[in-house]
Amino acid sequence: MRSRTILIVDDEPRSREGMKKILEVWAAGHYEILTASNGISAMEILEEIPVELMISDIRMPGISGLSLVSQIRDKKIQRQPSVILISGHAEFEYAQQAIQLSVVEYLLKPASREKLITSVENALKAGEEQEHIGFMRKMADPQLMAIRDEDAALSDPVRQAIDYVEMHIEEAISLQEVAGLVHLNGSYFSSLFKEQCQMNFSEYVARRKLQKAKELLLKTNLPIAEIASLTGYQTVKYFNKLFKEYEGMSPGQYRSSMRNGTEANIQ
């Protein structure tokens, strides 16, 4: 697991070191606190190290804090950090531009210890939420999401079948078994499910199992054989074959490619 990092960018040594000391005590070793005296040095760090949060002064010689944030948003760096901007001037124009650049907090100097820590905690929390949303969106199966969005329009038997799949994802699930549970014959249940979900029941089960497998691949370090078993597949060979059909790559390749991207910190 990579270390978590907060970057402070301020051309005033006293301000920069003061914030660093406050945050080092607060972090208690859970975050590495790095500093940069200008925007150029900050960009070099950001291009080399994934940074969770950047705290930057707005008024700096050369590259201003706002220009620095704008450059970060335009670049494909390892991670887009949450940002807190600090200014000694309460100028509305700064605040406006900060909002447009998706800056999480805008503080006025001198910021108290309590205000700085509260802002850092809020910014880190907001960053985690955005990262999780982006992660889930990237991993999600669009066709499963479409069914979820139309939940209110589904009939009771179809909804019950979907709930059953959720509760028994680690088991082998057959159409006939589920049709019996919802008190319909297999043929009618199959037609009803396909009509309402735009896919047949066996495809839905496969997609939902693979969705669960993707979650396990990224959120755990479980062996692929165990993940296959936990999603109801008796053989790894069949699990790998099905996964590749739907995802275009093997489970191992999927895990590596996603973890080497923006989701590298998922545990």
Side-chain angles (χ1 to χ4, degrees):
M1 180 179 178
R2 63 176 173 76
S3 61
R4 296 179 292 179
T5 304
I6 295 173
L7 173 63
I8 299 168
V9 190
D10 197 327
D11 63 307
E12 298 177 11
R14 186 175 177 181
S15 174
R16 186 172 67 242
E17 292 305 313
M19 284 189 286
K20 182 180 180 182
K21 287 179 182 178
I22 289 170
L23 293 181
E24 281 180 335
V25 173
W26 163 82
H30 295 295
Y31 286 87
E32 183 179 7
I33 314 299
L34 300 181
T35 63
S37 59
N38 56 64
I40 294 172
S41 297
M43 280 304 305
E44 289 174 353
I45 291 171
L46 289 159
E47 288 172 350
E48 290 293 324
I49 302 170
V51 171
E52 262 76 14
L53 171 64
M54 182 179 76
I55 305 167
S56 178
D57 191 12
I58 286 184
R59 288 197 170 188
M60 295 185 293
I63 302 174
S64 71
L66 287 167
S67 295
L68 176 60
V69 178
S70 183
Q71 286 185 34
I72 291 169
R73 299 305 188 221
D74 290 339
K75 277 182 176 276
K76 289 185 177 180
I77 59 176
Q78 289 191 53
R79 178 191 175 101
Q80 284 288 333
S82 296
V83 177
I84 296 174
L85 286 179
I86 300 180
S87 172
H89 307 272
E91 297 182 21
F92 180 68
E93 183 184 353
Y94 285 161
Q96 255 191 333
Q97 291 181 59
I99 291 168
Q100 290 170 358
L101 291 167
S102 300
V103 170
V104 179
E105 294 271 350
Y106 178 80
L107 295 177
L108 292 177
K109 286 184 177 179
S112 68
R113 176 185 178 279
E114 291 74 19
K115 181 62 176 173
L116 175 63
I117 290 173
T118 297
S119 296
V120 166
E121 290 174 343
N122 289 341
L124 289 169
K125 184 178 179 181
E128 288 172 1
E129 289 173 353
Q130 284 301 115
E131 183 179 29
H132 181 69
I133 290 168
F135 168 73
M136 294 306 292
R137 185 179 294 121
K138 187 172 182 178
M139 189 180 66
D141 183 321
Q143 289 179 258
L144 293 183
M145 293 296 290
I147 293 171
R148 185 178 300 175
D149 291 342
E150 295 296 322
D151 180 72
L154 300 177
S155 63
D156 285 341
V158 169
R159 195 178 293 112
Q160 289 169 22
I162 287 172
D163 289 343
Y164 181 85
V165 173
E166 292 298 310
M167 296 295 293
H168 299 82
I169 200 80
E170 74 285 356
E171 301 172 12
I173 300 170
S174 73
L175 183 146
Q176 291 297 333
E177 173 192 9
V178 176
L181 288 167
V182 299
H183 310 294
L184 296 175
N185 69 57
S187 178
Y188 179 70
F189 169 71
S190 179
S191 298
L192 183 67
F193 193 94
K194 187 170 185 178
E195 178 187 343
Q196 295 186 12
C197 297
Q198 309 306 308
M199 69 176 74
N200 62 43
F201 181 71
S202 61
E203 181 182 354
Y204 176 84
V205 172
R207 286 182 177 276
R208 186 61 192 92
K209 284 178 175 289
L210 291 176
Q211 183 75 20
K212 180 64 177 179
K214 288 192 285 184
E215 293 172 15
L216 292 170
L217 283 165
L218 299 181
K219 294 182 178 181
T220 76
N221 291 317
L222 291 172
I224 290 168
E226 191 169 345
I227 290 173
S229 177
L230 288 170
T231 48
Y233 293 102
Q234 294 183 349
T235 68
V236 182
K237 185 177 180 180
Y238 180 68
F239 171 69
N240 286 340
K241 178 178 179 291
L242 198 64
F243 194 99
K244 194 166 186 178
E245 282 179 11
Y246 279 90
E247 298 299 326
M249 63 183 80
S250 71
Q253 290 170 330
Y254 180 86
R255 173 180 266 169
S256 296
S257 65
M258 289 289 279
R259 286 189 171 183
N260 290 332
T262 56
E263 285 73 37
N265 69 318
I266 297 295
Q267 293 300 301

